[in-house]
Amino acid sequence: MDREGVGRVCRSLPGVTLEHSFGEDHDVYKVGGKMFAIVGGEGALSFKVSDIAYEVLTESGRARPAPYMAKAKWVSLASPSDWPDDELAEHLKIAHALIAAKLTRKARAELGLA
């Protein structure tokens, strides 16, 4: 999946905004003001995963711990185009859900997530 494909998947999710918090060449996808996925300037993709997915993906070598975000269970893919589109789309949907679940009930309701 390329940068545009990641954007299509992320923007299709409820309550998502696209920002360029780290420069115009970085696409930062947020829900309720909180990041769930980032596409870097050179095309690498980082996103939030569950604790179990973090262990499986990093130990198998399919992903590496995301710089600066590994402690929060984020992974990074140097070449997201190497992944099957449907599998990557599912990981992005899960990343969105993990972050959305941490929002307040009121924030989730305002975003149409409750």
PDB file of all heavy atoms in Angstrom, residues 9 15-16 28-29 37-38 62-64 77 84 96-97 101 105 107 110-111:
ATOM      1  N   VAL A   9      -7.495   4.756   3.406  1.00  0.00           N
ATOM      2  CA  VAL A   9      -7.974   3.912   4.501  1.00  0.00           C
ATOM      3  C   VAL A   9      -8.187   4.757   5.756  1.00  0.00           C
ATOM      4  O   VAL A   9      -9.250   4.688   6.384  1.00  0.00           O
ATOM      5  CB  VAL A   9      -6.988   2.757   4.794  1.00  0.00           C
ATOM      6  CG1 VAL A   9      -7.364   2.031   6.076  1.00  0.00           C
ATOM      7  CG2 VAL A   9      -6.930   1.793   3.630  1.00  0.00           C
ATOM      8  N   GLY A  15     -14.166  10.240  12.353  1.00  0.00           N
ATOM      9  CA  GLY A  15     -13.516  11.216  13.225  1.00  0.00           C
ATOM     10  C   GLY A  15     -12.057  11.480  12.941  1.00  0.00           C
ATOM     11  O   GLY A  15     -11.361  12.069  13.762  1.00  0.00           O
ATOM     12  N   VAL A  16     -11.555  11.075  11.777  1.00  0.00           N
ATOM     13  CA  VAL A  16     -10.126  11.201  11.472  1.00  0.00           C
ATOM     14  C   VAL A  16      -9.805  12.567  10.879  1.00  0.00           C
ATOM     15  O   VAL A  16     -10.537  13.092  10.049  1.00  0.00           O
ATOM     16  CB  VAL A  16      -9.675  10.083  10.501  1.00  0.00           C
ATOM     17  CG1 VAL A  16      -8.263  10.325   9.992  1.00  0.00           C
ATOM     18  CG2 VAL A  16      -9.756   8.737  11.194  1.00  0.00           C
ATOM     19  N   VAL A  28       0.129  12.873   9.311  1.00  0.00           N
ATOM     20  CA  VAL A  28      -0.198  12.418  10.662  1.00  0.00           C
ATOM     21  C   VAL A  28      -1.711  12.265  10.755  1.00  0.00           C
ATOM     22  O   VAL A  28      -2.447  13.236  10.612  1.00  0.00           O
ATOM     23  CB  VAL A  28       0.298  13.427  11.727  1.00  0.00           C
ATOM     24  CG1 VAL A  28      -0.047  12.945  13.125  1.00  0.00           C
ATOM     25  CG2 VAL A  28       1.805  13.654  11.582  1.00  0.00           C
ATOM     26  N   TYR A  29      -2.161  11.040  10.967  1.00  0.00           N
ATOM     27  CA  TYR A  29      -3.592  10.759  11.069  1.00  0.00           C
ATOM     28  C   TYR A  29      -3.961  10.676  12.545  1.00  0.00           C
ATOM     29  O   TYR A  29      -3.317   9.967  13.322  1.00  0.00           O
ATOM     30  CB  TYR A  29      -3.937   9.460  10.344  1.00  0.00           C
ATOM     31  CG  TYR A  29      -3.684   9.600   8.871  1.00  0.00           C
ATOM     32  CD1 TYR A  29      -2.492   9.165   8.301  1.00  0.00           C
ATOM     33  CD2 TYR A  29      -4.614  10.232   8.047  1.00  0.00           C
ATOM     34  CE1 TYR A  29      -2.239   9.345   6.949  1.00  0.00           C
ATOM     35  CE2 TYR A  29      -4.365  10.415   6.702  1.00  0.00           C
ATOM     36  CZ  TYR A  29      -3.179   9.974   6.158  1.00  0.00           C
ATOM     37  OH  TYR A  29      -2.928  10.162   4.821  1.00  0.00           O
ATOM     38  N   ALA A  37      -1.588   6.924  13.322  1.00  0.00           N
ATOM     39  CA  ALA A  37      -0.732   6.483  12.214  1.00  0.00           C
ATOM     40  C   ALA A  37       0.016   7.681  11.646  1.00  0.00           C
ATOM     41  O   ALA A  37      -0.511   8.796  11.618  1.00  0.00           O
ATOM     42  CB  ALA A  37      -1.562   5.829  11.121  1.00  0.00           C
ATOM     43  N   ILE A  38       1.243   7.421  11.182  1.00  0.00           N
ATOM     44  CA  ILE A  38       2.077   8.460  10.588  1.00  0.00           C
ATOM     45  C   ILE A  38       2.778   7.876   9.365  1.00  0.00           C
ATOM     46  O   ILE A  38       3.370   6.801   9.444  1.00  0.00           O
ATOM     47  CB  ILE A  38       3.165   8.956  11.559  1.00  0.00           C
ATOM     48  CG1 ILE A  38       2.551   9.469  12.854  1.00  0.00           C
ATOM     49  CG2 ILE A  38       4.042  10.014  10.906  1.00  0.00           C
ATOM     50  CD1 ILE A  38       3.580   9.736  13.941  1.00  0.00           C
ATOM     51  N   ARG A  62       8.619  -8.672  10.935  1.00  0.00           N
ATOM     52  CA  ARG A  62       7.726  -8.046   9.949  1.00  0.00           C
ATOM     53  C   ARG A  62       7.655  -6.546  10.132  1.00  0.00           C
ATOM     54  O   ARG A  62       7.306  -5.819   9.211  1.00  0.00           O
ATOM     55  CB  ARG A  62       6.326  -8.644  10.029  1.00  0.00           C
ATOM     56  CG  ARG A  62       6.334 -10.115   9.649  1.00  0.00           C
ATOM     57  CD  ARG A  62       5.023 -10.637   9.206  1.00  0.00           C
ATOM     58  NE  ARG A  62       4.547  -9.952   8.013  1.00  0.00           N
ATOM     59  CZ  ARG A  62       3.274  -9.684   7.787  1.00  0.00           C
ATOM     60  NH1 ARG A  62       2.360 -10.029   8.671  1.00  0.00           N
ATOM     61  NH2 ARG A  62       2.894  -9.074   6.694  1.00  0.00           N
ATOM     62  N   ALA A  63       7.946  -6.082  11.347  1.00  0.00           N
ATOM     63  CA  ALA A  63       7.951  -4.657  11.653  1.00  0.00           C
ATOM     64  C   ALA A  63       9.044  -4.416  12.684  1.00  0.00           C
ATOM     65  O   ALA A  63       9.519  -5.346  13.328  1.00  0.00           O
ATOM     66  CB  ALA A  63       6.598  -4.223  12.209  1.00  0.00           C
ATOM     67  N   ARG A  64       9.419  -3.167  12.823  1.00  0.00           N
ATOM     68  CA  ARG A  64      10.390  -2.839  13.858  1.00  0.00           C
ATOM     69  C   ARG A  64       9.745  -1.863  14.837  1.00  0.00           C
ATOM     70  O   ARG A  64       8.768  -1.198  14.492  1.00  0.00           O
ATOM     71  CB  ARG A  64      11.665  -2.269  13.259  1.00  0.00           C
ATOM     72  CG  ARG A  64      11.506  -0.966  12.542  1.00  0.00           C
ATOM     73  CD  ARG A  64      12.840  -0.549  11.892  1.00  0.00           C
ATOM     74  NE  ARG A  64      12.670   0.660  11.121  1.00  0.00           N
ATOM     75  CZ  ARG A  64      12.795   1.895  11.596  1.00  0.00           C
ATOM     76  NH1 ARG A  64      13.107   2.079  12.865  1.00  0.00           N
ATOM     77  NH2 ARG A  64      12.621   2.935  10.828  1.00  0.00           N
ATOM     78  N   LEU A  77       7.000   0.340   9.610  1.00  0.00           N
ATOM     79  CA  LEU A  77       7.243  -0.456   8.406  1.00  0.00           C
ATOM     80  C   LEU A  77       8.022   0.420   7.422  1.00  0.00           C
ATOM     81  O   LEU A  77       7.525   1.462   6.995  1.00  0.00           O
ATOM     82  CB  LEU A  77       5.925  -0.862   7.744  1.00  0.00           C
ATOM     83  CG  LEU A  77       4.849  -1.483   8.631  1.00  0.00           C
ATOM     84  CD1 LEU A  77       3.597  -1.756   7.808  1.00  0.00           C
ATOM     85  CD2 LEU A  77       5.370  -2.748   9.272  1.00  0.00           C
ATOM     86  N   PRO A  84       0.365  -6.931   2.201  1.00  0.00           N
ATOM     87  CA  PRO A  84      -0.924  -7.036   1.508  1.00  0.00           C
ATOM     88  C   PRO A  84      -1.835  -5.888   1.952  1.00  0.00           C
ATOM     89  O   PRO A  84      -1.906  -5.570   3.146  1.00  0.00           O
ATOM     90  CB  PRO A  84      -1.487  -8.386   1.969  1.00  0.00           C
ATOM     91  CG  PRO A  84      -0.305  -9.143   2.479  1.00  0.00           C
ATOM     92  CD  PRO A  84       0.661  -8.122   2.997  1.00  0.00           C
ATOM     93  N   HIS A  96      -6.684   2.811  14.833  1.00  0.00           N
ATOM     94  CA  HIS A  96      -7.713   3.832  15.043  1.00  0.00           C
ATOM     95  C   HIS A  96      -8.576   3.455  16.245  1.00  0.00           C
ATOM     96  O   HIS A  96      -8.830   4.271  17.147  1.00  0.00           O
ATOM     97  CB  HIS A  96      -8.551   3.957  13.768  1.00  0.00           C
ATOM     98  CG  HIS A  96      -9.728   4.848  13.878  1.00  0.00           C
ATOM     99  ND1 HIS A  96     -10.961   4.392  14.292  1.00  0.00           N
ATOM    100  CD2 HIS A  96      -9.879   6.167  13.613  1.00  0.00           C
ATOM    101  CE1 HIS A  96     -11.818   5.402  14.282  1.00  0.00           C
ATOM    102  NE2 HIS A  96     -11.185   6.488  13.873  1.00  0.00           N
ATOM    103  N   ALA A  97      -9.025   2.212  16.304  1.00  0.00           N
ATOM    104  CA  ALA A  97      -9.895   1.755  17.393  1.00  0.00           C
ATOM    105  C   ALA A  97      -9.185   1.802  18.745  1.00  0.00           C
ATOM    106  O   ALA A  97      -9.794   2.172  19.756  1.00  0.00           O
ATOM    107  CB  ALA A  97     -10.394   0.339  17.105  1.00  0.00           C
ATOM    108  N   ALA A 101     -10.588   4.292  21.625  1.00  0.00           N
ATOM    109  CA  ALA A 101     -11.070   3.706  22.881  1.00  0.00           C
ATOM    110  C   ALA A 101     -10.543   4.449  24.103  1.00  0.00           C
ATOM    111  O   ALA A 101     -11.154   4.389  25.174  1.00  0.00           O
ATOM    112  CB  ALA A 101     -10.670   2.233  22.956  1.00  0.00           C
ATOM    113  N   ARG A 105     -15.751   9.401  26.898  1.00  0.00           N
ATOM    114  CA  ARG A 105     -17.054   9.040  26.341  1.00  0.00           C
ATOM    115  C   ARG A 105     -17.638  10.224  25.560  1.00  0.00           C
ATOM    116  O   ARG A 105     -18.196  10.053  24.477  1.00  0.00           O
ATOM    117  CB  ARG A 105     -17.993   8.622  27.465  1.00  0.00           C
ATOM    118  CG  ARG A 105     -19.330   8.122  26.965  1.00  0.00           C
ATOM    119  CD  ARG A 105     -20.195   7.595  28.083  1.00  0.00           C
ATOM    120  NE  ARG A 105     -19.444   6.597  28.834  1.00  0.00           N
ATOM    121  CZ  ARG A 105     -19.738   6.203  30.057  1.00  0.00           C
ATOM    122  NH1 ARG A 105     -20.763   6.709  30.688  1.00  0.00           N
ATOM    123  NH2 ARG A 105     -19.020   5.290  30.660  1.00  0.00           N
ATOM    124  N   ALA A 107     -16.008  12.730  24.092  1.00  0.00           N
ATOM    125  CA  ALA A 107     -15.253  12.930  22.849  1.00  0.00           C
ATOM    126  C   ALA A 107     -15.657  11.891  21.803  1.00  0.00           C
ATOM    127  O   ALA A 107     -15.826  12.224  20.623  1.00  0.00           O
ATOM    128  CB  ALA A 107     -13.760  12.876  23.105  1.00  0.00           C
ATOM    129  N   GLU A 110     -19.034  12.871  20.407  1.00  0.00           N
ATOM    130  CA  GLU A 110     -18.935  14.014  19.491  1.00  0.00           C
ATOM    131  C   GLU A 110     -18.371  13.617  18.136  1.00  0.00           C
ATOM    132  O   GLU A 110     -18.701  14.223  17.128  1.00  0.00           O
ATOM    133  CB  GLU A 110     -18.054  15.101  20.127  1.00  0.00           C
ATOM    134  CG  GLU A 110     -18.724  15.810  21.280  1.00  0.00           C
ATOM    135  CD  GLU A 110     -17.783  16.739  22.034  1.00  0.00           C
ATOM    136  OE1 GLU A 110     -16.562  16.796  21.724  1.00  0.00           O
ATOM    137  OE2 GLU A 110     -18.278  17.434  22.952  1.00  0.00           O
ATOM    138  N   LEU A 111     -17.521  12.597  18.111  1.00  0.00           N
ATOM    139  CA  LEU A 111     -16.928  12.128  16.853  1.00  0.00           C
ATOM    140  C   LEU A 111     -17.771  11.051  16.179  1.00  0.00           C
ATOM    141  O   LEU A 111     -17.399  10.546  15.129  1.00  0.00           O
ATOM    142  CB  LEU A 111     -15.513  11.597  17.114  1.00  0.00           C
ATOM    143  CG  LEU A 111     -14.497  12.633  17.556  1.00  0.00           C
ATOM    144  CD1 LEU A 111     -13.220  11.949  18.038  1.00  0.00           C
ATOM    145  CD2 LEU A 111     -14.190  13.598  16.423  1.00  0.00           C
TER     146      LEU A 111
END
